């Protein structure tokens, strides 16, 4: 099965007809039709339904489509890797991560010139979907506050303290930490319940039998920080400060409240050593630069034992 023929198949799917696909890939229509016919004969199935109008995939075609896309993507990936190796470059890798992780971890990591392995791009995805991007082959590594699926290689990047973010004039701003029992009495600005800091905060609160009343709930962390800066309450986030806010770690009986940052990638990744080296580099940065507080126990109430 030739990659070139799979590209023809995908072109027909994406453009809706053999004629349009032939124009897109710059191949004569009779030749493209013949190649598709040969492909179907080799596979022993019809990939398209016969009928008027645009070509539609058969049931077999629907099942074959993601496989074809994956094979073509892997072929393109291999070609790219070989080109970089021929030039003596590092293997280019792509990370998928949520906006907060990009802003607070990966951006400063790159800006600080800590990169020791190839990194081509970082794409922003929702916390719960970063690993889907990796499984589709659109990224090499997913980084999230949720653990990867069990089928993936997994490593803990580090733990990010959950903090009370306050305006400088707020009474909490002068403290080295704030106890959870004191914090729940404040006017709180919280994220939606799918936010990792909110989940950790709610879990710790319930675990101590505490309750908070009528918080202001927002969807974007920068809005939460802006509201806190304007004196409208205390934001509970893992995010770095904006607007001259003061970050005050939240203390629970076990230590400082935190969320865990995981990395996940496919165990059979073609550049597994390079992936592992990049994850190690980010983890070293997180431990030695972002959270160099070894004397403080950082505890994630949602964390399960590390799967190395």
């Amino acid at each position: 099965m030739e990659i070139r023929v799979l590209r023809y198949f995908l072109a027909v799917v994406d453009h809706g007809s053999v004629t349009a696909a032939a124009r897109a890939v710059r191949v004569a229509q009779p030749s493209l039709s013949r190649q598709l016919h040969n492909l179907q004969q080799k596979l022993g199935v019809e990939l398209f339904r016969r009928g008027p109008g645009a070509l539609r995939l058969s049931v077999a075609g629907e099942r074959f489509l993601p496989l074809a896309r994956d094979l073509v993507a892997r072929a393109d990936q291999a070609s790219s890797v070989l080109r970089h190796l021929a030039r003596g470059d590092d293997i280019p890798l792509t990370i998928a991560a949520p906006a907060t992780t990009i802003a607070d971890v990966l951006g400063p990591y790159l800006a600080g010139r800590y990169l020791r392995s190839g990194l081509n791009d970082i794409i922003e995805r929702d916390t719960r979907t970063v690993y889907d991007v990796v499984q589709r082959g659109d990224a090499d590594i997913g980084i999230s506050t949720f653990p990867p699926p069990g089928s993936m290689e997994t490593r803990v990047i580090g733990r990010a303290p959950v903090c009370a973010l306050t305006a400088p004039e707020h009474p909490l701003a002068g403290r080295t930490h704030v106890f959870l029992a004191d914090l729940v009495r404040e006017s709180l600005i919280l994220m939606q319940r799918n936010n990792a800091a909110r989940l950790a905060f709610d879990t710790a609160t319930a675990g101590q039998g505490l309750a908070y009343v009528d918080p202001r709930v927002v969807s974007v962390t920068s809005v939460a920080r802006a509201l806190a800066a304007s004196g409208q309450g205390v934001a509970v986030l893992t995010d770095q400060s904006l607007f001259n806010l003061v970050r005050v770690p939240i203390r629970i009986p076990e230590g400082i409240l935190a969320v865990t940052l995981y990395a996940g990638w496919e165990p059979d990744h073609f550049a597994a050593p390079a992936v592992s080296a990049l994850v190690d580099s980010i983890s070293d940065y997180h431990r030695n630069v972002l959270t160099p507080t070894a004397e403080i126990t950082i505890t994630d109430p949602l964390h399960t034992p590390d799967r190395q």
Side-chain angles (χ1 to χ4, degrees):
M1 188 183 304
E2 296 183 39
I3 296 297
R4 171 176 53 84
V5 179
L6 294 181
R7 293 188 195 278
Y8 295 164
F9 166 70
L10 295 178
V12 173
V13 172
D14 294 338
H15 294 278
S17 74
V18 173
T19 302
R23 284 197 300 266
V25 298
R26 298 182 180 181
V27 171
Q29 181 177 331
S31 175
L32 191 146
S33 296
R34 186 170 59 255
Q35 298 280 2
L36 285 179
H37 177 73
N38 292 340
L39 174 63
Q40 292 178 118
Q41 281 193 323
K42 287 181 180 179
L43 295 174
V45 295
E46 293 287 335
L47 297 174
F48 296 95
R49 296 179 183 177
R50 299 183 183 277
L55 285 176
R56 296 176 60 194
L57 287 170
S58 65
V59 174
E62 291 283 2
R63 293 190 176 184
F64 181 65
L65 178 60
L67 299 176
R69 291 199 189 280
D70 180 63
L71 288 170
V72 170
R74 287 176 182 270
D76 290 342
Q77 219 170 29
S79 296
S80 174
V81 168
L82 290 174
R83 286 194 300 270
H84 280 80
L85 290 177
R87 296 196 300 263
D89 300 337
D90 289 328
I91 295 174
L93 301 173
T94 298
I95 295 175
T100 296
T101 301
I102 294 172
D104 291 348
V105 179
L106 299 176
Y109 166 77
L110 288 175
R113 301 182 182 182
Y114 294 95
L115 182 65
R116 296 201 304 260
S117 299
L119 178 56
N120 181 57
D121 195 13
I122 301 172
I123 56 178
E124 180 183 330
R125 291 295 185 271
D126 178 77
T127 304
R128 293 184 181 272
T129 63
V130 296
Y131 304 120
D132 296 337
V133 178
V134 175
Q135 290 177 324
R136 289 200 306 268
D138 296 329
D140 302 287
I141 305 166
I143 296 180
S144 174
T145 49
F146 291 95
S151 61
M152 282 189 166
E153 190 76 24
T154 303
R155 194 164 301 162
V156 170
I157 295 288
R159 293 182 177 86
V162 180
C163 295
L165 273 65
T166 72
E169 63 273 13
H170 193 283
L172 292 181
R175 299 190 187 182
T176 57
H177 61 266
V178 57
F179 287 103
L180 195 60
D182 295 332
L183 183 59
V184 294
R185 292 195 285 265
E186 298 289 338
S187 297
L188 297 177
I189 303 165
L190 303 178
M191 300 301 298
Q192 300 284 348
R193 291 186 184 276
N194 62 350
N195 175 268
R198 171 72 185 275
L199 287 172
F201 180 72
D202 283 354
T203 300
T205 301
Q208 292 189 40
L210 300 171
Y212 50 81
V213 179
D214 196 26
R216 184 162 184 174
V217 179
V218 299
S219 302
V220 181
T221 60
S222 58
V223 172
R225 287 179 284 182
L227 291 171
S230 67
Q232 298 187 50
V234 177
V236 177
L237 298 168
T238 58
D239 299 47
Q240 296 296 321
S241 297
L242 277 181
F243 316 123
N244 204 32
L245 289 168
V246 177
R247 297 174 82 233
V248 183
I250 301 170
R251 182 171 286 280
I252 57 177
E254 299 80 6
I256 296 298
L257 183 64
V259 299
T260 303
L261 198 61
Y262 301 88
W265 65 94
E266 296 291 357
D268 59 350
H269 193 283
F270 69 93
V275 169
S276 182
L278 177 56
V279 171
D280 284 344
S281 178
I282 296 170
S283 180
D284 289 346
Y285 169 76
H286 194 282
R287 180 178 60 255
N288 296 322
V289 179
L290 288 185
T291 56
T293 50
E295 73 280 1
I296 298 176
T297 301
I298 297 182
T299 303
D300 178 359
L302 303 176
H303 176 64
T304 54
D306 297 2
R307 303 200 311 274
Q308 297 292 342

